[in-house]
Amino acid sequence: MAETPVTHPRLRLRLWLSGTVVAAVALAVLVVPPLVQLDQQAVDLSAKLRPPSWQHPFGTDHVGRDLLLRCVYGLRVSLLVGIVAALAATVVGTAVGAAAGALGGWADRLLMRLVDAFSSVPHLLLGIFIVAMFRPGVWPVVVSVALTHWLSTARIIRSEVLSQRSRPHIDAAVSGGASRWRVTVRHLLPAVLPQAGLAAVLMIPHAMWHESALSFLGLGLPTHQASLGGLVQSGRGSLLAGDWWPTLFPGLFLVVPTLAFAGLAGVWRDRLNPRRRSELTL
């Protein structure tokens, strides 16, 4: 007897590991900043670039600030951008995809050409253009990521709506006199919500990497504000002098949580519909 996706030992291990990492990340970003305040503009040149020790487990950066606290604060920014931008992008993508699939005809063609037009511009280039229109801060980065990451969700939701439209219960509702709006709200949208939720979870690590790329380029956030991409950028110059910790630890704080979110999304995808993994991968 074949094992279901959730009872498969390897997938169960991946679920446990990913869930543990995500829970630890959530606990860190929620508990540490209120308990340990960090002056992000403080400078202590006498303690700069100290290697990892009991006093500073991740060492210090180039101006003497504790790197562990800076990484936690930077991870909080990346998670905020990732989660909020993923939710916003999912709402936009779901609305566009559902409208295209439900309306069909010229509306479908127009909306899909809009999606194709946005897709023709590289995400990072469009994100840089959007961020440049605002003052430095977290929310311009959120807007930038959200407006450049709804395209895949729109395509997925449109495809699912078109599939649902051919189901017998939809034909029965239309034959019974239900309006297109009622069919969309009562039948089509509830049917695609699991796919929309999965798309949102899959988008969180993508959005975190996009925010880190913008921060690495020195865009979006003020230079003194901790960001994982900014920490990697500021620490890469120390590699030439043999100081590896200012680059390694911020990189791990970015890679490990994004892999954990991707692992949870993968388990959800396999449980939701194991036969259609390729369609639900962003």
Side-chain angles (χ1 to χ4, degrees):
M1 185 175 184
E3 292 181 315
T4 61
V6 178
T7 59
H8 193 286
R10 187 173 62 181
L11 292 181
R12 188 165 61 243
L13 177 62
R14 185 171 67 176
L15 175 62
W16 184 84
L17 289 176
S18 300
T20 300
V21 172
V22 170
V25 166
L27 184 65
V29 299
L30 291 175
V31 174
V32 173
L35 293 180
V36 184
Q37 299 295 322
L38 174 66
D39 184 0
Q40 302 206 51
Q41 301 189 59
V43 175
D44 183 8
L45 296 180
S46 63
K48 71 175 183 177
L49 292 177
R50 288 184 177 178
S53 61
W54 286 109
Q55 184 179 5
H56 302 287
F58 285 6
T60 60
D61 63 8
H62 64 287
V63 293
R65 293 170 295 195
D66 184 81
L67 195 58
L68 174 57
L69 286 178
R70 295 274 290 170
C71 287
V72 172
Y73 274 73
L75 181 59
R76 183 176 63 168
V77 172
S78 294
L79 275 179
L80 173 64
V81 173
I83 293 175
V84 176
L87 291 176
T90 300
V91 170
V92 174
T94 301
V96 173
L103 296 176
W106 66 267
D108 183 17
R109 292 191 294 271
L110 177 63
L111 290 173
M112 287 301 99
R113 295 297 78 77
L114 177 65
V115 171
D116 292 339
F118 272 92
S119 299
S120 64
V121 181
H123 284 178
L124 186 58
L125 181 61
L126 183 59
I128 292 173
F129 175 77
I130 295 174
V131 167
M133 298 172 60
F134 300 93
R135 292 182 178 179
V138 173
W139 295 110
V141 178
V142 172
V143 173
S144 169
V145 176
L147 291 181
T148 55
H149 286 73
W150 58 273
L151 308 171
S152 298
T153 303
R155 291 194 177 98
I156 292 172
I157 298 302
R158 173 183 176 271
S159 175
E160 189 64 24
V161 168
L162 291 176
S163 175
Q164 291 291 328
R165 283 178 58 181
S166 61
R167 302 292 175 87
H169 69 281
I170 300 297
D171 293 335
V174 174
S175 301
S179 64
R180 181 173 295 178
W181 172 259
R182 183 177 179 83
V183 170
T184 301
V185 174
R186 295 292 299 272
H187 300 285
L188 296 179
L189 279 180
V192 303
L193 284 181
Q195 285 78 9
L198 175 56
V201 177
L202 283 168
M203 202 180 304
I204 291 175
H206 194 178
M208 291 176 64
W209 278 97
H210 195 89
E211 179 275 328
S212 297
L214 291 174
S215 299
F216 184 84
L217 295 174
L219 301 170
L221 297 178
T223 55
H224 69 275
Q225 188 169 354
S227 171
L228 295 178
L231 291 175
V232 173
Q233 196 280 334
S234 63
R236 67 191 181 103
S238 304
L239 287 174
L240 298 177
D243 300 325
W244 46 269
W245 57 92
T247 303
L248 175 63
F249 291 118
L252 290 177
F253 262 65
L254 178 62
V255 172
V256 174
T258 53
L259 289 178
F261 276 107
L264 287 179
V267 174
W268 185 0
R269 178 187 60 204
D270 295 341
R271 185 176 184 180
L272 181 65
N273 199 338
R275 295 182 179 180
R276 300 177 60 186
R277 298 177 187 178
S278 61
E279 294 183 17
L280 298 177
T281 302
L282 292 179

